[in-house]
Amino acid sequence: MNWNKHDYNYFIIILLTGFILFAGIISPTYGQVELRYSANETVTWQEAIDMYRWLDEQYEDARLMEVGWTDAGRPLHLFVIDRGQHFSPEQIRESGKNILFINNGIHPGEPCGVDASLKLASDLLSGKDSCAHFLDQTVIALVPIFNVGGALNRGSYHRANQNGPVEHGFRGNARNLDLNRDFIKLDSKNTQSMVPLLRSWDPDIFIDTHTSNGADYPYTITLINSHTQRHEPSQARFLDSTLLPFLFKEMEQSPYLMSPYVWSMRQSPDQGILAFMDYPRYTSGYVSLYNTIAFTVETHMFKPFEDRVLSTWHLLREALRFTGMYGNELKEVKKQAWVEKMKRQEFTLQWALDTSRHVPIQFMGYTAKTKKSKVSGQQRYYYDRSDPWEKEIPYYKFFKPVISASVPDYYILPSAWAEVVERLQLNGVEMTALTKDSIVKADIYYIR
């Protein structure tokens, strides 16, 4: 048979199409949850989704859902575990259960929570985990990987000095936006999908998983809590007197002691550390606007990846235990916080650290020293692990209001501000269009 150029091109197209279809049929899908953190490896985005899809297929108590879109052109997923097999927040609230919401991979170069959440979900659903009975009172909703674009941008050198995994994702998303700075400005499709999700699920406890850097110290895991001064008084008391002591005490029973997040007041932690004021551009600061108690887990980048994953897993289990044990108290405190919030006449928008007040905490550290740099020949700063110490240090946890806003009867927006209207609507803010020109007496904000 004589083939011309057209016939040959047609044949190649048919052959390639068949190969692609055949490859799709035989491409591997995960028949179980296979984690490789002990080998210093983290799962890819596709592997994570395939594993959650397998859990969905295996267990009636689990469901993987597409809940929005991302800047990477891939869907945002939510994985829900509920023994009552209710997979909408409305049904879950009607059942009287509490909601523990876990967000992973907002910075995919810090993937400890990605693998820890897969282990948590797999062990709970299989009954392997002794905490599984707390699922009778608590529903777990988790985002496998929030920053999909950053997770797809894998490499070995995105996190200088980080001790594994061998490959990890990139901090910025597909548009190079830092998603943990996007929860007020809402510039990314990721956050535009996440915000309505958080508003509808309205969790009792929210956890965002990260890896920290900076000073060197013995702790594998540190914790940021949504700052008590940004919470209403009843919720702040509960957080300080009940929830935080529970988590720190229970982590003492694990192989991983936990410290408050290490942000040095001066050059070294021995001179004191200060609390983190989580403004609403961060996930924890955003959800606490709506009376959700939030935590940011920060494992230490110098520790082995396996330990960072397992310490995160231990903390997630303790959060589940607490939510199961104190579910009624969580509901009552949140209800009271809304009563207090609705009586507010003023809200603080900006805070400044109060350096005149602190509380003592017990802390373990390494002595800070200097030595000659092999690169520059100058003296450089380092922490001497052969010279550890333990002592009381000052913890600066108090802030002073700097800028506040009083609560008006209404806000009026110019109709030309479509971007502002869109963001308010994503947050569930109720708005009514004015149907005619009106004269009103009002104060005006000017934004410089």
Side-chain angles (χ1 to χ4, degrees), residues 110 159-160 171 211-215 217 261-262 298-302:
E110 309 166 22
R159 296 272 294 173
R171 184 179 184 90
T211 301
S212 186
N213 51 21
Y217 41 80
Y261 179 62
V262 181
E298 294 276 7
T299 58
H300 194 258
M301 65 185 299
F302 292 158

Side-chain angles (χ1 to χ4, degrees), residues 69-75 147-150 152 173-175 189-190:
W69 214 244
T70 71
D71 283 330
R74 307 288 180 93
N147 182 354
V148 179
L152 294 173
N173 83 334
R175 294 174 56 206
K189 287 184 179 179
N190 304 60

Side-chain angles (χ1 to χ4, degrees), residues 5 88 95 123 137 174 245 259 287 366 409 411 431:
K5 185 177 180 181
S88 74
S95 71
D123 289 353
Q137 298 87 26
S259 164
V287 297
Y366 299 128
D409 294 322
Y411 283 103
M431 287 178 281

Side-chain angles (χ1 to χ4, degrees), residues 36-295:
R36 306 182 298 275
Y37 55 80
S38 60
N40 199 27
E41 295 182 14
T42 183
V43 297
T44 66
W45 174 78
Q46 189 61 61
E47 288 171 342
I49 299 306
D50 287 344
M51 291 178 191
Y52 280 114
R53 187 172 290 118
W54 180 81
L55 290 172
D56 179 337
E57 294 168 355
Q58 287 290 115
Y59 300 101
E60 294 182 349
D61 298 348
R63 182 169 295 177
L64 180 68
M65 299 175 279
E66 293 184 4
V67 291
W69 214 244
T70 71
D71 283 330
R74 307 288 180 93
L76 181 68
H77 288 87
L78 182 72
F79 185 75
V80 179
I81 303 174
D82 179 24
R83 282 192 164 173
Q85 298 174 28
H86 298 131
F87 300 107
S88 74
E90 296 78 15
Q91 291 175 314
I92 289 167
R93 288 295 177 194
E94 287 178 8
S95 71
K97 294 182 180 180
N98 295 87
I99 296 174
L100 170 63
F101 197 110
I102 303 166
N103 184 48
N104 299 300
I106 194 169
H107 294 151
E110 309 166 22
C112 312
V114 173
D115 295 78
S117 290
L118 270 165
K119 176 175 170 56
L120 179 75
S122 177
D123 289 353
L124 288 172
L125 288 166
S126 66
K128 179 180 177 181
D129 195 321
S130 61
C131 285
H133 68 279
F134 289 111
L135 293 173
D136 292 335
Q137 298 87 26
T138 301
V139 171
I140 294 178
L142 65 88
V143 174
I145 297 177
F146 178 40
N147 182 354
V148 179
L152 294 173
N153 183 9
R154 283 170 72 93
S156 299
Y157 308 106
H158 293 320
R159 296 272 294 173
N161 300 324
Q162 183 167 285
N163 189 1
V166 175
E167 284 191 349
H168 47 267
F170 182 65
R171 184 179 184 90
N173 83 334
R175 294 174 56 206
N176 204 28
L177 295 171
D178 187 337
L179 298 184
N180 204 31
R181 307 294 187 271
D182 197 37
F183 274 79
I184 288 296
K185 58 189 181 69
L186 285 166
D187 285 342
S188 69
K189 287 184 179 179
N190 304 60
T191 316
Q192 291 169 14
S193 296
M194 177 69 95
V195 160
L197 185 70
L198 290 170
R199 295 305 314 120
S200 62
W201 283 83
D202 191 24
D204 299 281
I205 293 180
F206 173 91
I207 299 178
D208 202 8
T209 60
H210 291 252
T211 301
S212 186
N213 51 21
D216 196 5
Y217 41 80
Y219 301 98
T220 301
I221 184 169
T222 68
L223 188 67
I224 301 172
N225 60 273
S226 45
H227 202 283
T228 53
Q229 287 179 258
R230 293 188 58 257
H231 280 287
E232 304 307 317
S234 58
Q235 214 165 32
R237 288 191 296 270
F238 181 76
L239 181 55
D240 263 341
S241 65
T242 306
L243 179 45
L244 282 171
F246 177 94
L247 293 178
F248 278 93
K249 180 180 178 182
E250 295 306 315
M251 286 299 288
E252 289 179 3
Q253 310 305 314
S254 79
Y256 304 100
L257 290 178
M258 186 167 68
S259 164
Y261 179 62
V262 181
W263 188 4
S264 297
M265 179 68 175
R266 294 180 178 85
Q267 196 167 30
S268 171
D270 66 332
Q271 299 169 311
I273 61 176
L274 55 97
F276 188 84
M277 179 54 71
D278 56 330
Y279 288 107
R281 64 177 182 164
Y282 306 104
T283 54
S284 62
Y286 173 76
V287 297
S288 60
L289 287 175
Y290 298 94
N291 299 322
T292 290
I293 297 175
F295 298 99

